[in-house]
Amino acid sequence: MFPKLIQQLIDEHHYPLLKGGEVTDFLEQHRYSVLFFCNDAKLFPESLDVAVILPELINAFQGNIVPAIITRDDEMKIQRNYGFTTWPSLVFFKDGQYLGVISKVQNWDEYINQIQKLMQQEPVLPPVKIALSQN
């Protein structure tokens, strides 16, 4: 069960709640998408801030980015695919391929600038896959 602010994203904003096996299908269905990894809001209270900010970011990009939330049960397993270690994190994709991650709460302008840069770049390998390919 999520805290109220995160649960509102699912219930009121209708953000899908994805299990591990559903992530790839979701990402491939959308030009631009973002996965919200919130972890335990008691341990990472900034997750509640991101839960408030995320709908505003989606609106700022005129709905061109489709958000989803990762289930708590599968979050750690899925997180390993993207190489981030800081919570909360927003992981961005283009046509199902990794663009990058924004972790923790940012200033509004930083969010906008970082997301614009991510959307303009070509997909890259997530850091974890780069490290594996170098070994």
Side-chain angles (χ1 to χ4, degrees):
M1 186 76 177
F2 289 107
K4 184 178 179 180
L5 286 173
I6 296 171
Q7 191 64 43
Q8 284 177 328
L9 297 175
I10 299 162
D11 296 340
E12 296 175 22
H13 293 278
H14 307 289
Y15 291 5
L17 180 61
L18 303 179
K19 298 176 187 170
E22 301 167 332
V23 172
T24 300
D25 288 341
F26 171 82
L27 296 175
E28 290 176 350
Q29 291 175 17
H30 305 287
R31 175 82 171 143
Y32 292 100
S33 52
V34 60
L35 302 178
F36 179 22
F37 291 81
C38 52
N39 206 306
D40 184 342
K42 290 178 184 171
L43 295 174
F44 301 97
E46 285 185 339
S47 293
L48 300 177
D49 296 325
V50 174
V52 172
I53 295 166
L54 184 56
E56 298 302 320
L57 290 172
I58 299 305
N59 287 339
F61 286 90
Q62 302 172 347
N64 289 318
I65 303 170
V66 180
I69 300 169
I70 301 300
T71 65
R72 290 295 323 280
D73 292 340
D74 291 342
E75 177 167 66
M76 297 304 285
K77 178 175 65 174
I78 297 168
Q79 170 267 341
R80 290 183 198 118
N81 294 324
Y82 305 116
F84 67 89
T85 58
T86 305
W87 305 89
S89 286
L90 299 172
V91 183
F92 291 84
F93 299 85
K94 178 180 181 181
D95 297 323
Q97 297 182 34
Y98 178 85
L99 291 173
V101 62
I102 300 173
S103 296
K104 303 191 114 203
V105 173
Q106 306 291 314
N107 291 325
W108 181 256
D109 290 340
E110 291 171 347
Y111 271 124
I112 297 300
N113 290 334
Q114 289 181 54
I115 294 169
Q116 285 174 338
K117 286 179 185 174
L118 289 171
M119 291 176 75
Q120 292 171 1
Q121 76 182 29
E122 290 301 313
V124 296
L125 288 176
V128 69
K129 292 187 179 179
I130 291 171
L132 291 174
S133 69
Q134 293 175 347
N135 289 331

